Amino acid sequence: MKIGRKALLVLGAVVIVAAIVVVGMFYFRQAGERSAFNDRLDAAQARSVVLTASKHSLEDQLASAQSSLEESRVKFPESVESIEYGEYLFDIADECSVNLDSLTFPRPASKTVGGVTYSVVSLTLPVSGTLENIFQFIDTIRTDDRFASADVRSVNMDIGGSKATITLDIYGYKG
């Protein structure tokens, strides 16, 4: 069987058209994938900018927190030395013209505040003197740099006898 020249031309045209259609399908599929890839790439680049800014912000916050921690470590003594604080209290009592009737240092207790553990010594300070001098004593303890890590928790006054009992917590940082 012999195929005519026209049939071969038609068959050749059909094969060429089929090849063009197949190549066109591959091309458009690849173009679609390229477009989707470019969209994902653009989104990733946009996220990268946001994440980089977020990273810098978090690094700044970390530096600030570390600086704050170092400042707190300086502010809070490593341990509460009873001899030193006893001397400080008696010096302040002399400066304020009050009598510190007794002073005992109990064992330090641990107290955790916001994930940080402190060593806490709770003192009860019975003092006597004039009201003005007692108030000056309390104010000096609250403002003296040596007691920056201390907290005056309560003051009980006996106005008739010019006596007061001061409850004081001294914090030490436990690394």
Side-chain angles (χ1 to χ4, degrees), residues 63-80 85 113-119 145-150 170-175:
S64 175
Q66 287 174 331
S67 173
S68 179
L69 176 62
E70 288 305 315
E71 289 174 13
S72 294
R73 282 186 177 160
V74 169
K75 184 177 178 183
F76 289 93
E78 194 66 36
S79 65
V80 177
Y85 280 98
V113 178
V116 179
T117 302
Y118 296 96
S119 171
D145 287 340
R146 298 172 291 188
F147 288 91
S149 66
I170 302 173
Y171 293 86
Y173 177 71
K174 288 178 116 177

Side-chain angles (χ1 to χ4, degrees), residues 131-148:
L131 287 177
E132 183 180 336
N133 291 347
I134 292 172
F135 287 133
Q136 181 183 3
F137 178 74
I138 295 167
D139 186 57
T140 302
I141 289 174
R142 292 187 66 231
T143 58
D144 191 293
D145 287 340
R146 298 172 291 188
F147 288 91

Side-chain angles (χ1 to χ4, degrees), residues 127-131 134 156-164:
V127 296
S128 58
T130 66
L131 287 177
I134 292 172
N156 294 319
M157 301 286 296
D158 176 14
I159 297 179
S162 295
K163 292 187 177 204

Side-chain angles (χ1 to χ4, degrees), residues 80-102:
V80 177
E81 300 295 331
S82 60
I83 293 173
E84 290 176 12
Y85 280 98
E87 288 176 8
Y88 299 156
L89 288 168
F90 281 110
D91 287 345
I92 293 170
D94 284 343
E95 290 171 16
C96 297
S97 300
V98 297
N99 293 321
L100 184 56
D101 298 333
S102 67

